[in-house]
Amino acid sequence: YSQWIFEKPLPISPVKTPVHTVQVNGRTIQYYELTVEALQAQVYPNLDAANLVGYDGMAPGPTFMVDRDVETVVRVTNRGEGPAALHLHGSPTHAPWDGWAEDLIQVGEFKDYYYPNVQAGPLWYHDHVDGATSTDVYYGQHGMYLIHDPAEDGLGLPDGDYDIPLLVGDAVYQQNGDLQSPEGNQINFFGDTIQVNGQPWPYLDVEPRKYRLRIANFALSRPFDLSFVDESGETIEVTVIGADSGLLGSPVTTENIVIAMGERWEVVVDFSSFKGQNVTMMNTLDGADIPMYANTDRVMRFTVGNSVSSSANNGDVPSTLRDINWPQKKTTVDRQFDFGHGGDAVWSINGEAFSDVNNRVLARPQQGKVELWQFNYRGGPGTHPVHIHLINFQVVSRTGGSRGLLPYEAAGLKDVVLLEPGETVQALAVYGPWHGLYMFHCHNLIHEDNLMMAAFNVTRLEE
Ligand code: C2O
Ligand code: CU
Protein backbone atom coordinates (compact mmCIF):
# COMPACT_ATOMS: atom_id res chain seq x y z
CA TYR A 1 0.00 0.00 0.00
CA SER A 2 1.02 3.61 -0.45
CA GLN A 3 2.41 5.24 2.65
CA TRP A 4 0.69 8.58 1.89
CA ILE A 5 3.64 10.79 2.77
CA PHE A 6 2.57 14.39 3.50
CA GLU A 7 -0.80 13.89 1.79
CA LYS A 8 -3.16 14.10 4.76
CA PRO A 9 -3.67 17.10 7.03
CA LEU A 10 -2.51 17.09 10.64
CA PRO A 11 -5.45 16.31 12.93
CA ILE A 12 -5.70 18.55 15.98
CA SER A 13 -7.72 17.14 18.86
CA PRO A 14 -10.53 19.37 20.16
CA VAL A 15 -10.13 21.10 23.48
CA LYS A 16 -12.00 19.34 26.27
CA THR A 17 -14.67 21.39 28.01
CA PRO A 18 -15.62 20.91 31.66
CA VAL A 19 -19.05 19.55 32.55
CA HIS A 20 -19.22 22.15 35.28
CA THR A 21 -17.08 24.57 37.25
CA VAL A 22 -17.52 25.39 40.92
CA GLN A 23 -16.07 28.09 43.16
CA VAL A 24 -15.32 27.06 46.74
CA ASN A 25 -13.67 29.49 49.18
CA GLY A 26 -11.81 31.29 46.41
CA ARG A 27 -10.77 28.05 44.68
CA THR A 28 -11.94 27.14 41.21
CA ILE A 29 -12.59 23.45 40.54
CA GLN A 30 -13.51 22.12 37.11
CA TYR A 31 -15.20 18.77 36.70
CA TYR A 32 -14.56 16.77 33.53
CA GLU A 33 -15.75 13.43 32.20
CA LEU A 34 -13.55 11.26 30.01
CA THR A 35 -14.54 7.89 28.55
CA VAL A 36 -12.22 5.10 27.49
CA GLU A 37 -13.83 3.56 24.41
CA ALA A 38 -13.13 1.69 21.20
CA LEU A 39 -13.33 3.46 17.86
CA GLN A 40 -12.48 2.91 14.24
CA ALA A 41 -10.37 5.33 12.27
CA GLN A 42 -10.03 5.33 8.50
CA VAL A 43 -6.30 5.90 8.35
CA TYR A 44 -5.75 4.59 4.81
CA PRO A 45 -8.76 5.51 2.64
CA ASN A 46 -8.42 2.50 0.35
CA LEU A 47 -8.06 -0.09 3.14
CA ASP A 48 -10.08 -1.21 6.16
CA ALA A 49 -10.36 1.06 9.15
CA ALA A 50 -7.93 0.74 12.04
CA ASN A 51 -9.40 -0.52 15.31
CA LEU A 52 -8.34 1.74 18.15
CA VAL A 53 -9.19 2.35 21.79
CA GLY A 54 -8.95 6.01 22.78
CA TYR A 55 -10.76 8.59 24.84
CA ASP A 56 -14.17 10.07 23.99
CA GLY A 57 -14.16 8.28 20.64
CA MET A 58 -10.85 9.71 19.47
CA ALA A 59 -7.23 8.63 19.41
CA PRO A 60 -5.32 10.56 20.58
CA GLY A 61 -7.85 11.90 23.06
CA PRO A 62 -9.03 15.50 23.49
CA THR A 63 -6.61 18.19 24.65
CA PHE A 64 -7.11 19.55 28.15
CA MET A 65 -6.28 23.23 28.57
CA VAL A 66 -6.48 24.48 32.12
CA ASP A 67 -5.18 27.50 33.93
CA ARG A 68 -2.57 27.07 36.60
CA ASP A 69 -4.06 26.75 40.11
CA VAL A 70 -7.49 25.84 38.75
CA GLU A 71 -8.08 22.39 40.22
CA THR A 72 -9.63 19.62 38.15
CA VAL A 73 -11.53 16.44 38.80
CA VAL A 74 -11.61 14.01 35.88
CA ARG A 75 -14.08 11.13 35.99
CA VAL A 76 -12.71 8.35 33.80
CA THR A 77 -15.36 5.82 32.79
CA ASN A 78 -14.00 2.64 31.29
CA ARG A 79 -16.01 1.41 28.31
CA GLY A 80 -12.91 -0.09 26.74
CA GLU A 81 -11.84 -3.68 26.33
CA GLY A 82 -9.64 -4.16 29.38
CA PRO A 83 -8.79 -2.44 32.67
CA ALA A 84 -7.68 1.21 32.59
CA ALA A 85 -5.60 3.50 34.82
CA LEU A 86 -5.06 7.16 34.07
CA HIS A 87 -1.74 8.87 34.72
CA LEU A 88 -1.30 12.59 34.24
CA HIS A 89 2.35 12.61 33.24
CA GLY A 90 4.19 15.64 34.66
CA SER A 91 1.69 16.44 37.38
CA PRO A 92 2.55 16.44 41.07
CA THR A 93 -0.60 14.45 41.76
CA HIS A 94 -1.38 13.13 45.23
CA ALA A 95 -0.66 9.38 45.31
CA PRO A 96 -4.28 8.09 45.30
CA TRP A 97 -4.90 9.71 41.90
CA ASP A 98 -1.50 9.16 40.27
CA GLY A 99 -2.53 6.16 38.20
CA TRP A 100 -0.67 3.49 40.19
CA ALA A 101 -0.28 0.60 37.73
CA GLU A 102 -2.32 -1.80 39.85
CA ASP A 103 -5.08 0.69 40.75
CA LEU A 104 -7.36 -0.41 37.96
CA ILE A 105 -10.69 0.81 36.64
CA GLN A 106 -12.42 -2.35 35.45
CA VAL A 107 -14.62 -2.32 32.35
CA GLY A 108 -17.94 -0.71 33.26
CA GLU A 109 -16.50 1.14 36.28
CA PHE A 110 -15.27 4.69 36.79
CA LYS A 111 -12.75 6.52 38.96
CA ASP A 112 -12.53 10.22 39.82
CA TYR A 113 -9.02 11.66 39.61
CA TYR A 114 -8.12 14.92 41.32
CA TYR A 115 -5.36 17.17 39.94
CA PRO A 116 -4.01 20.29 41.70
CA ASN A 117 -2.47 21.84 38.50
CA VAL A 118 0.05 23.79 40.55
CA GLN A 119 2.65 24.23 37.85
CA ALA A 120 2.31 25.24 34.21
CA GLY A 121 3.68 23.08 31.44
CA PRO A 122 3.04 20.72 28.53
CA LEU A 123 1.74 17.63 30.34
CA TRP A 124 0.28 14.59 28.69
CA TYR A 125 -2.08 11.93 29.97
CA HIS A 126 -1.98 8.24 29.20
CA ASP A 127 -2.95 4.82 30.38
CA HIS A 128 -0.69 3.15 32.97
CA VAL A 129 -2.02 -0.42 33.45
CA ASP A 130 0.58 -2.86 34.75
CA GLY A 131 1.80 -4.94 31.83
CA ALA A 132 -0.50 -3.25 29.27
CA THR A 133 0.68 0.37 29.15
CA SER A 134 2.51 -0.10 25.85
CA THR A 135 -0.43 -1.59 23.95
CA ASP A 136 -2.93 0.79 25.55
CA VAL A 137 -0.89 3.91 24.68
CA TYR A 138 -0.13 2.56 21.19
CA TYR A 139 -3.81 1.96 20.37
CA GLY A 140 -4.74 5.51 21.35
CA GLN A 141 -4.97 6.03 25.11
CA HIS A 142 -2.92 9.21 25.24
CA GLY A 143 -3.50 12.94 24.87
CA MET A 144 -2.17 16.38 25.78
CA TYR A 145 -2.93 18.28 28.97
CA LEU A 146 -1.61 21.84 28.79
CA ILE A 147 -1.45 23.93 31.95
CA HIS A 148 -1.37 27.60 31.09
CA ASP A 149 0.17 30.15 33.41
CA PRO A 150 -1.51 33.58 33.05
CA ALA A 151 1.94 35.04 33.90
CA GLU A 152 3.09 33.78 30.47
CA ASP A 153 0.69 36.02 28.59
CA GLY A 154 3.00 39.01 28.90
CA LEU A 155 5.78 37.18 27.04
CA GLY A 156 4.09 37.52 23.66
CA LEU A 157 4.66 33.89 22.65
CA PRO A 158 2.60 32.61 19.69
CA ASP A 159 -0.82 31.45 20.91
CA GLY A 160 -4.27 30.37 19.74
CA ASP A 161 -4.09 29.01 16.17
CA TYR A 162 -0.33 29.51 16.29
CA ASP A 163 0.14 27.14 19.25
CA ILE A 164 0.14 23.53 17.98
CA PRO A 165 0.39 20.31 20.02
CA LEU A 166 2.27 17.53 18.20
CA LEU A 167 2.16 13.99 19.58
CA VAL A 168 4.93 12.25 17.64
CA GLY A 169 5.45 8.49 17.61
CA ASP A 170 5.56 5.42 15.41
CA ALA A 171 3.36 2.47 14.46
CA VAL A 172 3.11 -0.56 12.18
CA TYR A 173 0.09 -1.09 9.91
CA GLN A 174 -0.96 -4.39 8.46
CA GLN A 175 -1.83 -4.86 4.82
CA ASN A 176 -5.54 -4.52 5.67
CA GLY A 177 -5.12 -1.06 7.20
CA ASP A 178 -5.38 -2.12 10.84
CA LEU A 179 -2.52 -1.71 13.30
CA GLN A 180 -0.10 -4.47 14.11
CA SER A 181 0.00 -5.03 17.86
CA PRO A 182 3.25 -4.53 19.80
CA GLU A 183 2.13 -7.27 22.21
CA GLY A 184 4.65 -9.99 22.86
CA ASN A 185 7.69 -7.80 22.20
CA GLN A 186 9.94 -7.85 25.24
CA ILE A 187 12.98 -5.97 24.01
CA ASN A 188 11.76 -3.02 21.89
CA PHE A 189 9.03 -2.15 19.41
CA PHE A 190 9.85 0.13 16.49
CA GLY A 191 7.30 1.25 13.92
CA ASP A 192 8.06 1.78 10.25
CA THR A 193 5.36 4.46 10.11
CA ILE A 194 5.81 7.85 11.75
CA GLN A 195 2.61 9.34 13.16
CA VAL A 196 1.72 12.77 14.45
CA ASN A 197 -1.60 13.27 16.27
CA GLY A 198 -2.77 9.89 14.98
CA GLN A 199 -2.00 10.54 11.29
CA PRO A 200 0.93 8.97 9.43
CA TRP A 201 3.25 11.66 7.98
CA PRO A 202 0.77 14.57 7.99
CA TYR A 203 1.16 18.08 6.64
CA LEU A 204 0.07 21.31 8.29
CA ASP A 205 -0.74 24.53 6.44
CA VAL A 206 0.99 27.35 8.28
CA GLU A 207 1.31 31.10 7.77
CA PRO A 208 4.68 32.75 7.19
CA ARG A 209 5.18 33.77 10.84
CA LYS A 210 6.18 32.29 14.21
CA TYR A 211 4.52 29.21 15.73
CA ARG A 212 4.79 27.57 19.12
CA LEU A 213 5.01 23.79 18.72
CA ARG A 214 4.48 21.60 21.78
CA ILE A 215 6.15 18.34 20.84
CA ALA A 216 5.61 15.16 22.88
CA ASN A 217 7.02 11.71 22.06
CA PHE A 218 4.44 8.98 22.67
CA ALA A 219 6.42 6.23 20.86
CA LEU A 220 7.02 2.97 22.68
CA SER A 221 10.74 2.59 21.95
CA ARG A 222 11.83 5.23 19.43
CA PRO A 223 13.66 8.40 20.47
CA PHE A 224 13.85 11.07 17.74
CA ASP A 225 16.42 13.68 16.78
CA LEU A 226 14.24 16.30 15.11
CA SER A 227 15.25 19.07 12.75
CA PHE A 228 13.42 21.46 10.43
CA VAL A 229 14.71 21.45 6.88
CA ASP A 230 13.73 23.82 4.05
CA GLU A 231 13.33 22.96 0.36
CA SER A 232 16.98 23.63 -0.38
CA GLY A 233 18.01 21.13 2.28
CA GLU A 234 19.16 23.76 4.78
CA THR A 235 18.43 23.13 8.44
CA ILE A 236 16.59 26.01 10.09
CA GLU A 237 17.58 27.21 13.53
CA VAL A 238 14.67 26.96 16.00
CA THR A 239 14.22 28.28 19.53
CA VAL A 240 13.55 25.88 22.40
CA ILE A 241 11.41 27.70 24.97
CA GLY A 242 10.07 24.94 27.19
CA ALA A 243 10.79 21.48 28.60
CA ASP A 244 8.69 18.79 30.30
CA SER A 245 8.00 20.91 33.37
CA GLY A 246 7.37 24.31 31.81
CA LEU A 247 9.27 27.20 30.29
CA LEU A 248 13.06 27.32 30.27
CA GLY A 249 14.73 30.16 32.16
CA SER A 250 16.02 31.54 28.85
CA PRO A 251 15.43 30.35 25.29
CA VAL A 252 18.03 28.13 23.62
CA THR A 253 18.54 28.17 19.84
CA THR A 254 19.39 24.88 18.20
CA GLU A 255 19.38 23.05 14.88
CA ASN A 256 18.18 19.76 16.34
CA ILE A 257 16.10 18.51 19.25
CA VAL A 258 16.57 15.07 20.78
CA ILE A 259 13.26 13.87 22.20
CA ALA A 260 13.03 10.61 24.12
CA MET A 261 9.84 8.68 24.81
CA GLY A 262 7.66 10.60 27.28
CA GLU A 263 9.64 13.83 26.87
CA ARG A 264 8.18 17.17 25.77
CA TRP A 265 9.88 20.17 24.19
CA GLU A 266 8.28 23.46 23.29
CA VAL A 267 9.82 25.14 20.29
CA VAL A 268 9.22 28.43 18.47
CA VAL A 269 9.69 28.02 14.71
CA ASP A 270 9.70 31.04 12.42
CA PHE A 271 8.28 30.26 8.97
CA SER A 272 8.39 33.90 7.79
CA SER A 273 11.20 33.43 5.27
CA PHE A 274 9.60 30.37 3.61
CA LYS A 275 6.54 31.89 1.89
CA GLY A 276 5.05 29.46 -0.61
CA GLN A 277 7.55 26.75 0.34
CA ASN A 278 7.69 23.64 2.48
CA VAL A 279 9.55 22.98 5.69
CA THR A 280 9.96 19.33 6.64
CA MET A 281 10.43 17.97 10.13
CA MET A 282 13.11 15.31 9.82
CA ASN A 283 14.37 12.61 12.17
CA THR A 284 18.02 11.58 12.16
CA LEU A 285 18.26 9.42 15.27
CA ASP A 286 19.18 5.87 14.41
CA GLY A 287 21.67 3.51 15.97
CA ALA A 288 22.67 -0.08 16.25
CA ASP A 289 19.45 -0.90 18.07
CA ILE A 290 17.19 1.87 16.74
CA PRO A 291 16.23 0.79 13.22
CA MET A 292 15.34 3.21 10.45
CA TYR A 293 12.89 2.21 7.71
CA ALA A 294 12.10 3.70 4.30
CA ASN A 295 10.56 6.94 5.60
CA THR A 296 11.30 7.07 9.32
CA ASP A 297 13.72 9.91 8.60
CA ARG A 298 10.68 12.10 7.87
CA VAL A 299 8.05 13.15 10.40
CA MET A 300 5.70 15.80 8.98
CA ARG A 301 5.64 18.76 6.62
CA PHE A 302 4.73 22.40 7.12
CA THR A 303 3.26 23.98 3.99
CA VAL A 304 3.90 27.69 4.30
CA GLY A 305 1.31 30.07 2.81
CA ASN A 306 1.84 33.56 1.48
CA SER A 307 -0.07 35.74 3.92
CA VAL A 308 -0.41 36.24 7.62
CA SER A 309 -3.88 36.69 9.09
CA SER A 310 -2.69 37.85 12.51
CA SER A 311 0.63 39.29 13.48
CA ALA A 312 -0.19 39.27 17.20
CA ASN A 313 2.41 37.54 19.36
CA ASN A 314 4.84 37.30 16.48
CA GLY A 315 7.70 39.28 17.99
CA ASP A 316 11.10 38.25 19.28
CA VAL A 317 11.14 35.55 21.95
CA PRO A 318 12.10 37.38 25.19
CA SER A 319 15.59 36.62 26.50
CA THR A 320 14.16 35.73 29.92
CA LEU A 321 11.13 33.45 30.07
CA ARG A 322 10.83 32.84 33.77
CA ASP A 323 12.69 32.58 37.02
CA ILE A 324 13.26 28.88 37.64
CA ASN A 325 13.28 27.65 41.22
CA TRP A 326 16.25 25.27 40.85
CA PRO A 327 16.78 22.63 43.55
CA GLN A 328 19.57 23.48 45.95
CA LYS A 329 22.92 22.35 44.57
CA LYS A 330 24.31 19.08 45.84
CA THR A 331 27.24 17.01 44.59
CA THR A 332 27.11 13.82 46.62
CA VAL A 333 25.05 11.10 45.01
CA ASP A 334 22.25 9.89 47.30
CA ARG A 335 21.13 6.89 45.28
CA GLN A 336 22.24 5.00 42.20
CA PHE A 337 20.05 3.01 39.89
CA ASP A 338 21.32 0.61 37.26
CA PHE A 339 18.96 0.17 34.33
CA GLY A 340 19.69 -3.18 32.81
CA HIS A 341 18.93 -6.84 32.63
CA GLY A 342 18.19 -8.66 35.80
CA GLY A 343 17.61 -12.00 37.44
CA ASP A 344 14.51 -13.62 36.06
CA ALA A 345 13.19 -10.52 34.32
CA VAL A 346 14.12 -9.20 30.90
CA TRP A 347 14.57 -5.69 32.32
CA SER A 348 15.19 -4.46 35.82
CA ILE A 349 16.29 -1.55 37.99
CA ASN A 350 19.12 -2.46 40.39
CA GLY A 351 18.47 -6.07 39.46
CA GLU A 352 14.88 -5.95 40.66
CA ALA A 353 11.70 -6.23 38.66
CA PHE A 354 8.45 -4.45 39.50
CA SER A 355 6.62 -7.63 40.42
CA ASP A 356 9.00 -8.41 43.28
CA VAL A 357 6.39 -7.11 45.68
CA ASN A 358 8.53 -7.12 48.79
CA ASN A 359 11.51 -5.39 47.27
CA ARG A 360 10.06 -2.89 44.90
CA VAL A 361 10.28 0.20 47.13
CA LEU A 362 13.82 1.09 46.14
CA ALA A 363 14.02 4.53 47.80
CA ARG A 364 12.51 6.36 50.76
CA PRO A 365 13.43 10.02 50.33
CA GLN A 366 12.30 12.42 53.04
CA GLN A 367 9.55 14.81 52.05
CA GLY A 368 10.90 18.23 51.07
CA LYS A 369 14.57 17.14 50.92
CA VAL A 370 16.86 17.52 47.90
CA GLU A 371 18.38 14.30 46.56
CA LEU A 372 20.81 13.61 43.75
CA TRP A 373 19.96 10.41 41.88
CA GLN A 374 22.32 8.75 39.43
CA PHE A 375 21.18 6.48 36.60
CA ASN A 376 23.56 4.09 34.85
CA TYR A 377 23.11 2.00 31.72
CA ARG A 378 26.06 -0.19 30.93
CA GLY A 379 24.69 -1.10 27.54
CA GLY A 380 22.17 -3.25 25.74
CA PRO A 381 19.47 -2.94 23.09
CA GLY A 382 17.67 0.39 22.86
CA THR A 383 17.48 3.28 25.28
CA HIS A 384 15.98 3.90 28.72
CA PRO A 385 14.30 7.26 29.16
CA VAL A 386 14.07 7.50 32.96
CA HIS A 387 10.82 8.98 34.29
CA ILE A 388 10.17 9.85 37.93
CA HIS A 389 6.58 10.52 38.99
CA LEU A 390 5.60 13.39 41.35
CA ILE A 391 8.75 15.51 41.09
CA ASN A 392 10.63 17.40 38.44
CA PHE A 393 14.38 17.46 38.27
CA GLN A 394 17.39 19.31 37.01
CA VAL A 395 19.57 17.16 34.75
CA VAL A 396 22.99 18.03 36.13
CA SER A 397 25.18 15.79 34.00
CA ARG A 398 25.30 13.20 31.25
CA THR A 399 28.59 11.35 30.85
CA GLY A 400 29.96 8.23 29.23
CA GLY A 401 28.23 8.58 25.87
CA SER A 402 28.74 10.72 22.80
CA ARG A 403 26.04 13.27 23.49
CA GLY A 404 26.83 14.90 26.82
CA LEU A 405 24.40 17.27 28.51
CA LEU A 406 22.35 19.06 25.83
CA PRO A 407 22.17 22.87 26.13
CA TYR A 408 18.35 23.03 26.17
CA GLU A 409 18.23 20.06 28.57
CA ALA A 410 20.29 22.04 31.07
CA ALA A 411 18.01 25.09 30.78
CA GLY A 412 14.76 23.77 32.27
CA LEU A 413 13.14 21.38 34.71
CA LYS A 414 12.20 17.91 33.45
CA ASP A 415 10.51 14.66 34.39
CA VAL A 416 12.07 12.34 31.79
CA VAL A 417 15.73 12.04 30.85
CA LEU A 418 17.22 9.95 28.07
CA LEU A 419 19.71 7.29 29.16
CA GLU A 420 21.62 5.76 26.26
CA PRO A 421 23.96 2.75 26.33
CA GLY A 422 27.13 3.53 28.25
CA GLU A 423 25.73 6.65 29.84
CA THR A 424 25.46 7.94 33.38
CA VAL A 425 22.97 10.71 34.12
CA GLN A 426 22.54 12.67 37.35
CA ALA A 427 19.23 14.27 38.30
CA LEU A 428 18.68 16.66 41.20
CA ALA A 429 15.23 17.16 42.73
CA VAL A 430 13.25 18.14 45.78
CA TYR A 431 11.23 15.09 46.81
CA GLY A 432 7.77 16.53 47.38
CA PRO A 433 5.50 18.41 47.58
CA TRP A 434 3.47 15.48 48.92
CA HIS A 435 4.46 12.29 50.69
CA GLY A 436 3.34 8.89 49.47
CA LEU A 437 4.14 5.93 47.28
CA TYR A 438 5.03 6.67 43.65
CA MET A 439 6.48 4.90 40.63
CA PHE A 440 9.63 5.59 38.67
CA HIS A 441 10.41 3.64 35.55
CA CYS A 442 11.81 3.40 32.08
CA HIS A 443 9.54 5.20 29.59
CA ASN A 444 10.44 2.75 26.86
CA LEU A 445 6.95 1.30 27.40
CA ILE A 446 8.00 -2.16 26.25
CA HIS A 447 10.58 -2.12 29.06
CA GLU A 448 8.10 -0.69 31.53
CA ASP A 449 5.61 -3.47 30.76
CA ASN A 450 8.45 -5.94 31.17
CA LEU A 451 8.93 -4.77 34.76
CA MET A 452 11.55 -2.00 34.40
CA MET A 453 9.68 -0.09 37.04
CA ALA A 454 10.12 0.51 40.75
CA ALA A 455 8.53 2.45 43.58
CA PHE A 456 9.79 5.16 45.89
CA ASN A 457 8.05 6.27 49.03
CA VAL A 458 8.32 9.94 49.95
CA THR A 459 8.37 9.77 53.71
CA ARG A 460 6.79 12.36 55.90
CA LEU A 461 9.01 14.16 58.38
CA GLU A 462 7.95 14.02 62.03
CA GLU A 463 6.77 17.38 63.25
CU1 C2O B 1 4.34 8.79 31.20
CU2 C2O B 1 4.71 6.49 34.59
O1 C2O B 1 4.51 7.59 32.87
CU1 CU C 1 14.25 0.87 29.23
Side-chain angles (χ1 to χ4, degrees):
Y1 60 93
S2 150
Q3 288 189 306
W4 300 81
I5 305 277
F6 309 141
E7 287 181 41
K8 301 281 166 202
L10 175 79
I12 295 181
S13 291
V15 173
K16 184 83 179 148
T17 47
V19 177
H20 54 251
T21 301
V22 292
Q23 310 281 342
V24 200
N25 301 328
R27 295 160 60 189
T28 305
I29 305 170
Q30 293 179 331
Y31 172 76
Y32 291 87
E33 289 178 354
L34 190 69
T35 306
V36 176
E37 56 192 357
L39 65 134
Q40 293 199 316
Q42 195 70 48
V43 177
Y44 292 101
N46 51 340
L47 301 174
D48 294 347
N51 291 288
L52 307 174
V53 180
Y55 297 106
D56 293 358
M58 12 174 166
T63 299
F64 286 78
M65 287 190 92
V66 303
D67 271 350
R68 183 188 167 162
D69 295 325
V70 168
E71 297 157 72
T72 53
V73 172
V74 181
R75 172 165 297 186
V76 179
T77 303
N78 184 2
R79 303 205 184 287
E81 291 159 357
L86 190 73
H87 173 55
L88 179 54
H89 180 134
S91 164
T93 304
H94 298 78
W97 302 291
D98 196 44
W100 181 262
E102 293 157 312
D103 176 14
L104 304 179
I105 313 168
Q106 298 300 339
V107 176
E109 296 182 345
F110 67 81
K111 174 174 166 115
D112 293 339
Y113 292 85
Y114 162 75
Y115 302 117
N117 303 318
V118 287
Q119 94 207 353
L123 280 56
W124 67 302
Y125 62 98
H126 62 78
D127 185 80
H128 216 302
V129 170
D130 189 26
T133 299
S134 58
T135 42
D136 289 351
V137 169
Y138 177 82
Y139 278 100
Q141 289 181 59
H142 61 269
M144 297 290 284
Y145 188 110
L146 307 174
I147 303 180
H148 162 251
D149 191 338
E152 261 185 42
D153 294 346
L155 297 173
L157 298 169
D159 66 351
D161 291 344
Y162 307 112
D163 176 350
I164 312 283
L166 299 174
L167 281 155
V168 177
D170 60 5
V172 181
Y173 286 90
Q174 305 175 51
Q175 292 299 325
N176 66 2
D178 203 359
L179 285 168
Q180 181 179 308
S181 173
E183 225 179 308
N185 287 283
Q186 292 192 307
I187 306 300
N188 287 300
F189 178 82
F190 295 101
D192 59 359
T193 303
I194 303 299
Q195 292 209 160
V196 188
N197 297 353
Q199 174 63 50
W201 297 287
Y203 72 85
L204 176 67
D205 287 329
V206 294
E207 297 177 4
R209 53 155 289 156
K210 292 196 176 82
Y211 279 74
R212 176 181 190 165
L213 306 178
R214 311 210 197 207
I215 312 171
N217 179 352
F218 77 92
L220 304 189
S221 298
R222 184 183 294 282
F224 292 85
D225 190 344
L226 302 173
S227 52
F228 295 79
V229 177
D230 71 12
E231 284 181 10
S232 67
E234 290 290 311
T235 300
I236 307 172
E237 203 163 72
V238 299
T239 306
V240 184
I241 58 164
D244 306 335
S245 311
L247 292 179
L248 306 183
S250 304
V252 175
T253 54
T254 182
E255 288 200 335
N256 66 308
I257 303 144
V258 177
I259 184 165
M261 301 78 84
E263 268 190 312
R264 289 87 67 212
W265 294 111
E266 298 197 340
V267 183
V268 171
V269 182
D270 188 358
F271 296 107
S272 60
S273 30
F274 305 99
K275 277 186 188 154
Q277 296 179 38
N278 295 319
V279 171
T280 305
M281 192 197 280
M282 305 290 292
N283 166 42
T284 54
L285 203 154
D286 58 3
D289 294 300
I290 302 171
M292 288 293 249
Y293 300 100
N295 292 302
T296 49
D297 61 336
R298 292 186 272 178
V299 178
M300 66 174 287
R301 173 161 283 175
F302 299 89
T303 314
V304 189
N306 286 299
S307 60
V308 170
S309 55
S310 165
S311 51
N313 295 326
N314 194 26
D316 290 343
V317 173
S319 57
T320 301
L321 297 167
R322 70 165 172 143
D323 201 8
I324 293 184
N325 194 7
W326 297 105
Q328 209 179 355
K329 208 172 148 63
K330 184 167 194 187
T331 50
T332 43
V333 173
D334 292 285
R335 303 170 201 274
Q336 292 214 43
F337 300 100
D338 291 320
F339 284 70
H341 298 261
D344 303 332
V346 181
W347 299 106
S348 63
I349 302 173
N350 283 356
E352 292 182 25
F354 186 65
S355 58
D356 291 347
V357 178
N358 300 320
N359 299 316
R360 68 189 174 192
V361 179
L362 295 191
R364 289 185 170 78
Q366 284 195 327
Q367 184 182 9
K369 288 272 154 77
V370 176
E371 292 205 359
L372 182 63
W373 287 18
Q374 178 170 307
F375 309 119
N376 311 305
Y377 181 21
R378 279 180 228 288
T383 63
H384 305 304
V386 179
H387 171 45
I388 310 177
H389 284 220
L390 177 68
I391 56 112
N392 45 59
F393 51 73
Q394 176 184 5
V395 184
V396 293
S397 65
R398 166 179 288 108
T399 51
S402 55
R403 231 180 266 291
L405 185 60
L406 303 166
Y408 44 91
E409 198 173 36
L413 291 169
K414 302 188 41 55
D415 56 48
V416 180
V417 62
L418 178 60
L419 186 60
E420 293 188 290
E423 285 185 335
T424 290
V425 167
Q426 292 187 339
L428 188 70
V430 179
Y431 281 77
W434 334 117
H435 55 85
L437 188 64
Y438 289 92
M439 299 174 283
F440 71 107
H441 58 88
C442 175
H443 220 290
N444 183 326
L445 298 182
I446 298 293
H447 300 183
E448 176 183 340
D449 279 343
N450 284 281
L451 310 179
M452 195 173 232
M453 180 153 78
F456 64 103
N457 197 342
V458 178
T459 309
R460 188 181 202 154
L461 291 172
E462 294 301 329
E463 265 125 50

